[in-house]
Amino acid sequence: MEFLESDIKFLKGVGEARGKVLASELGISTFRDLLYYFPFRHIDRSRFYAIAELQGTDLPALQIKGQFVNLRIEGEGARQRLVGAFTDGRKFIELVWFSKIKTFQTAFKLGVDYVVFGKPSFYRNVYSIVHPEVEIFDPAKPPTGFRGVYSLTETMRKRGYSTRLMQTLAGNLFANKGFATIPETLPREIVERYHLMPLQEALVQMHFPQDARQLQKATERMKFEELFYVEAHILRYSMERNAKLPGYVFTTIGEKFNGFFYNVLPFQLTGAQKRVLKEIRSDMRTGHQMNRLLQGDVGSGKTMVAFMSLLMAVDNNCQGALMAPTEILATQHYETISKWAEPIGVKVALLTGSTRAAARREIHAGLQSGEINIIIGTHALIEETVVFHRLGLAVIDEQHRFGVAQRARMWHKNKVAPHVLVMTATPIPRTLAMTVYGDLEVSVIDELPPGRKPVTTLLRYDSNRHEVDRLIYSQLSQGRQVYIVYPLIEENEKLDLKSLEEGYRRTCETFPSFRVCFVHGKMKPDEKDHQMDLFVRGEARIMVATTVIEVGVNVPNASVMVIENAERFGLSQLHQLRGRVGRGADQSYCILMGKIKAGADTKKRLTIMTETTDGFLISEADMKIRGPGDMEGTQQSGLAFNLRVADLARDGQILTRAREGAMAVLKGDPIRLDAAGKAIMEREMTLRFSRSDDWSKIS
Ligand code: ADP
Ligand code: MG
């Protein structure tokens, strides 16, 4: 321990001045920090690899000697790429280029010995290297070694810090006699059961790998450890929660539910809706508080599921609440749900920031007396003054706008915590859901109501402006409505606002015979509502907006969604936006306006949108590209830690095992830790999570 906590300035080769730089630039202030400051990538130029040797993920950038057997161009437009089939004489690997396609195609010859260098990734069952370095094989060129590359800041580089220096420092750590004293951080039982590399060895291999296989083993060990403790932490909390929190028992399927189901329900439920309702129903009968996440793509009919679940609460003498992130959305829910509720005599009220004082008092009273059965609203629902008679179920729509703590405020005055159903249209990949939500149950509506046509998605550029305008015009002439969306990001708000205003002006000029409305986040709420309303009522036929429309509005007559500067949106966001159209039976269009000069990655990203409308595929792809840290999913959950080595998008398998191990240990079955093992876990958990609070209690 002493060794690990030593001030970095005492390490041989560091001293006062470098110590300061390491601390301020990289946050390295102790020996431990440096030990865990792993190279961000590894380069293996020690030898040539056989393609057959490649296995698993986490491979370093490495060299393969061989020949091209063919080079062909695949895809069209933005998805065009050059794919070279490259063989070492026994197996094949794909080499892929997204830019300078023609140059490379003519530069590389078949039947010539090349050395290719790059990090292989495993995708669709083959290994491939994107944009590898390629050079003609030169037998006279000596191999260089296997080394890690450390990430350094610009300031450090200017002051002469280099990967080489970092290597020297890491080497000095390992040479220090203290190193041999650092304790194992995983219980012996876990190390053995999961065949993990012991800690000390793994640390050495991370910095100075012997070969690709050892590096993989070391990486796996470090990832496993990280995920193991994250899971243990989450699971421990959720076990406590389950033990502690009883829930209302909803035994009856009663009058309201049946009355609605048989007499009012305007369509047949989809199979998926029925299944999910069954899952919710059986959860709410157990006597434990339900914590369920309902994932369903935009337009999959989550509102109906929410409403029918709320009826279950009402049938069992409880109240229900539906909380939406924006006023517009809350109002829309209120309008929809009132229509369904009225014929069966269920009283619904709407409470938002703009509810007037008198009405508000009345609603507060109705909630306290129990006269109001279902309350729909925004943040206004979580104010101190709101007291429920008996809140049995809280449904939270589009959860990413609400923090966990915020949510819990709604029922802090309840004796019994209500069941909680969180609905999201941002499908969270399974691995992420698992990590973030511990043992939260997940339901998925994986079926759209019948009769929808998939939205046609096109990637277009400024040079195609005319064609896009024609498409818009033709849809407008058929009576349809159009969204034109601009990005708005805080950092260059002024610039964005300018392009939004220009877009508005241009749109008005291009389509003079149609009314255009204009909405952005900086508007006064009144004005915004007015503009939205114009569009919802069909008076305005075009809406020029920032992403304020991202969540929820339902205008089935809208058939075109144009997204300007599409490259600035995340895939999940694009998917959400696209979900605003295609709600009717006619063909709808989503047009992504891209930059012709956008890089290969951007084009690849946008191309995914044109290839699939499956929200899950998109969100997985998004996570792979952006990393889970940026996903709405992580922020909304308050995932309070940063994963340093593990990557939720790629390490699903390790996560599954780490979780299984954590569960086994916490339950004491089938892994029973000895005293030493328990001590290790306690120490590590305290070290890692001592600052964290209640976030894992996601309700
Ligand atoms: P989301 O899941 O995005 O919240 P909504 O609940 O707004 O979706 O539903 C989208 C539209 O589909 C609504 O107009 C809704 O009335 C309709 N809908 C929901 N379920 C069905 C169904 N089973 N059959 C036909 N239409 C449905
Ligand atoms: Mg919805």
Side-chain angles (χ1 to χ4, degrees):
M1 278 293 151
E2 242 167 74
F3 171 79
L4 289 171
E5 302 315 328
S6 306
D7 191 322
I8 194 68
K9 71 181 177 193
F10 296 125
L11 181 68
K12 184 174 165 211
V14 180
E16 235 17 277
R18 278 184 178 163
K20 283 215 179 83
V21 174
L22 287 171
S24 65
E25 294 299 307
L26 303 177
I28 297 176
S29 47
T30 63
F31 284 16
R32 178 203 302 277
D33 295 337
L34 179 60
L35 205 49
Y36 283 81
Y37 194 77
F38 302 133
F40 76 100
R41 71 192 179 99
H42 289 89
I43 291 176
D44 188 358
R45 285 199 187 262
S46 62
R47 64 185 179 95
F48 300 120
Y49 278 73
I51 296 168
E53 275 180 87
L54 305 182
Q55 248 185 53
T57 53
D58 296 318
L59 288 161
L62 48 76
Q63 320 184 93
I64 297 167
K65 178 175 158 252
Q67 302 187 343
F68 285 98
V69 289
N70 77 52
L71 278 153
R72 58 182 195 282
I73 292 178
E74 291 184 2
E76 281 170 31
R79 41 180 132 152
Q80 207 173 55
R81 59 199 177 264
L82 176 64
V83 179
F86 190 82
T87 182
D88 59 3
R90 308 189 60 177
K91 292 206 133 197
F92 289 88
I93 187 167
E94 276 187 359
L95 306 178
V96 185
W97 288 267
F98 289 97
S99 56
K100 294 198 197 147
I101 290 176
K102 288 267 150 53
T103 320
F104 286 129
Q105 194 182 26
T106 45
F108 302 137
K109 305 285 179 248
L110 306 188
V112 171
D113 279 339
Y114 288 102
V115 173
V116 299
F117 171 76
K119 181 179 166 67
S121 53
F122 195 62
Y123 184 63
R124 290 188 182 151
N125 283 320
V126 285
Y127 277 99
S128 59
I129 303 179
V130 176
H131 291 193
E133 286 173 30
V134 180
E135 47 189 38
I136 291 177
F137 172 61
D138 173 4
K141 194 173 170 183
T144 50
F146 193 168
R147 63 188 186 92
V149 183
Y150 294 84
S151 120
L152 301 170
T153 64
E154 213 32 60
T155 315
M156 292 178 81
R157 268 201 210 91
K158 280 198 196 114
R159 295 194 188 179
Y161 284 74
S162 63
T163 276
R164 179 145 304 175
L165 174 64
M166 294 300 283
Q167 275 177 322
T168 307
L169 298 182
N172 291 347
L173 263 181
F174 296 127
N176 189 307
K177 359 186 235 320
F179 178 70
T181 69
I182 69 167
E184 176 57 58
T185 42
L186 282 171
R188 178 184 47 80
E189 292 87 339
I190 291 289
V191 174
E192 284 169 6
R193 189 181 181 97
Y194 293 97
H195 310 290
L196 300 172
M197 189 182 266
L199 177 68
Q200 291 189 9
E201 192 183 336
L203 288 171
V204 174
Q205 291 295 330
M206 289 300 283
H207 290 274
F208 300 107
Q210 224 164 46
D211 58 36
R213 187 73 203 126
Q214 293 301 308
L215 174 63
Q216 277 178 325
K217 288 289 288 174
T219 311
E220 184 192 315
R221 142 84 208 207
M222 300 315 301
K223 288 181 172 180
F224 188 100
E225 171 179 327
E226 185 169 47
L227 294 170
F228 174 81
Y229 283 114
V230 165
E231 287 299 320
H233 180 61
I234 294 171
L235 289 171
R236 189 152 78 175
Y237 264 106
S238 58
M239 280 175 176
E240 279 169 20
R241 184 190 68 207
N242 276 351
K244 262 204 298 259
L245 291 185
Y248 290 109
V249 188
F250 292 169
T251 44
T252 342
I253 280 289
E255 183 201 344
K256 304 296 185 200
F257 187 96
N258 285 331
F260 177 76
F261 186 75
Y262 293 112
N263 306 322
V264 186
L265 183 62
F267 37 68
Q268 288 230 319
L269 295 176
T270 62
Q273 283 171 319
K274 283 188 202 155
R275 192 189 64 237
V276 167
L277 277 165
K278 271 203 194 115
E279 289 166 354
I280 292 169
R281 171 156 188 244
S282 68
D283 262 17
M284 297 199 295
R285 305 172 58 144
T286 59
H288 289 302
Q289 183 207 21
M290 170 175 83
N291 268 291
R292 192 171 271 280
L293 178 70
L294 173 57
Q295 304 191 333
D297 222 334
V298 273
S300 62
K302 293 187 291 296
T303 318
M304 182 53 81
V305 169
F307 175 66
M308 293 181 72
S309 307
L310 290 166
L311 289 184
M312 294 181 203
V314 175
D315 272 334
N316 289 273
N317 301 316
C318 281
Q319 293 165 297
L322 171 58
M323 188 150 84
T326 65
E327 185 142 352
I328 293 163
L329 192 57
T331 309
Q332 215 166 51
H333 277 322
Y334 174 71
E335 281 163 6
T336 311
I337 285 179
S338 306
K339 271 191 222 118
W340 293 335
E342 209 221 35
I344 50 169
V346 167
K347 188 162 164 55
V348 184
L350 174 70
L351 183 65
T352 70
S354 51
T355 307
R356 307 226 177 252
R360 179 178 294 254
R361 271 197 298 278
E362 203 173 305
I363 289 171
H364 285 171
L367 285 175
Q368 196 152 13
S369 71
E371 184 206 342
I372 294 172
N373 303 117
I374 295 176
I375 182 78
I376 296 170
T378 54
H379 294 85
L381 291 184
I382 57 179
E383 276 164 19
E384 272 295 311
T385 41
V386 177
V387 179
F388 288 91
H389 174 62
R390 214 165 112 93
L391 178 62
L393 169 65
V395 181
I396 291 139
D397 194 9
E398 306 293 353
Q399 86 216 71
H400 49 280
R401 308 294 152 114
F402 288 114
V404 176
Q406 260 185 328
R407 242 181 263 161
R409 260 196 265 152
M410 181 153 59
W411 51 84
H412 71 283
K413 298 170 213 108
N414 270 44
K415 281 197 204 71
V416 178
H419 297 296
V420 177
L421 180 67
V422 176
M423 306 197 292
T424 176
T426 314
I428 302 169
R430 245 184 72 77
T431 45
L432 186 57
M434 232 162 90
T435 311
V436 170
Y437 297 111
D439 69 344
L440 182 76
E441 303 296 328
V442 178
S443 288
V444 182
I445 307 187
D446 48 7
E447 183 185 353
L448 292 181
R452 301 250 175 97
K453 275 219 182 77
V455 179
T456 300
T457 305
L458 306 167
L459 179 54
R460 291 291 181 268
Y461 303 96
D462 250 337
S463 52
N464 311 116
R465 195 53 82 175
H466 193 61
E467 174 203 340
V468 174
D469 286 344
R470 264 204 316 256
L471 176 74
I472 294 175
Y473 186 78
S474 111
Q475 289 292 306
L476 288 169
S477 316
Q478 292 168 45
R480 312 302 300 269
Q481 287 167 277
V482 175
Y483 294 103
I484 302 176
V485 175
Y486 284 80
L488 187 64
I489 295 175
E490 306 273 328
E491 294 134 40
N492 47 10
E493 211 173 311
K494 277 216 185 94
L495 214 73
D496 280 336
L497 215 51
K498 196 165 146 250
S499 70
L500 178 73
E501 275 160 10
E502 269 167 24
Y504 172 65
R505 216 168 305 131
R506 195 191 154 269
T507 307
C508 293
E509 280 161 18
T510 317
F511 307 103
S513 48
F514 299 97
R515 181 153 181 195
V516 185
C517 67
F518 184 54
V519 184
H520 61 80
K522 296 284 156 210
M523 268 175 165
K524 294 230 166 62
D526 282 358
E527 178 58 10
K528 189 157 83 187
D529 284 353
H530 171 67
Q531 295 283 328
M532 291 289 269
D533 199 47
L534 285 176
F535 192 70
V536 171
R537 282 188 292 116
E539 227 165 279
R541 301 284 297 284
I542 304 175
M543 177 192 279
V544 175
T546 55
T547 42
V548 290
I549 60 161
E550 190 184 333
V551 172
V553 278
N554 190 13
V555 180
N557 187 47
S559 65
V560 183
M561 167 66 66
V562 180
I563 303 171
E564 300 286 343
N565 298 112
E567 69 281 348
R568 287 183 40 197
F569 293 88
L571 288 186
S572 297
Q573 232 180 341
L574 291 174
H575 182 64
Q576 291 282 311
L577 286 167
R578 179 166 64 184
R580 300 297 114 216
V581 296
R583 303 197 146 209
D586 296 315
Q587 183 61 58
S588 296
Y589 303 88
C590 174
I591 299 160
L592 307 174
M593 298 300 296
K595 272 211 179 66
I596 217 121
K597 286 211 181 104
D601 275 0
T602 306
K603 283 191 182 162
K604 196 166 134 198
R605 219 158 57 85
L606 293 178
T607 302
I608 294 170
M609 293 300 298
T610 65
E611 285 171 346
T612 180
T613 52
D614 181 328
F616 269 97
L617 283 182
I618 289 170
S619 117
E620 295 223 8
D622 204 18
M623 191 157 108
K624 287 209 168 108
I625 294 163
R626 289 198 297 164
D630 274 347
M631 299 280 295
E632 274 106 316
T634 36
Q635 274 138 26
Q636 74 204 7
S637 68
L639 186 58
F641 36 80
N642 285 319
L643 294 176
R644 300 180 58 139
V645 277
D647 173 349
L648 292 177
R650 295 194 171 82
D651 300 325
Q653 285 184 347
I654 300 177
L655 175 65
T656 310
R657 282 184 300 133
R659 180 181 166 80
E660 176 203 286
M663 184 86 92
V665 163
L666 288 178
K667 287 199 171 142
D669 174 31
I671 303 180
R672 228 166 228 299
L673 296 183
D674 56 18
K678 281 185 186 151
I680 289 176
M681 275 200 71
E682 277 318 310
R683 187 188 68 217
E684 289 300 313
M685 300 279 283
T686 317
L687 202 64
R688 284 158 201 258
F689 304 111
S690 53
R691 275 186 313 119
S692 73
D693 39 26
D694 263 11
W695 61 268
S696 81
K697 297 182 185 175
I698 81 101
S699 64

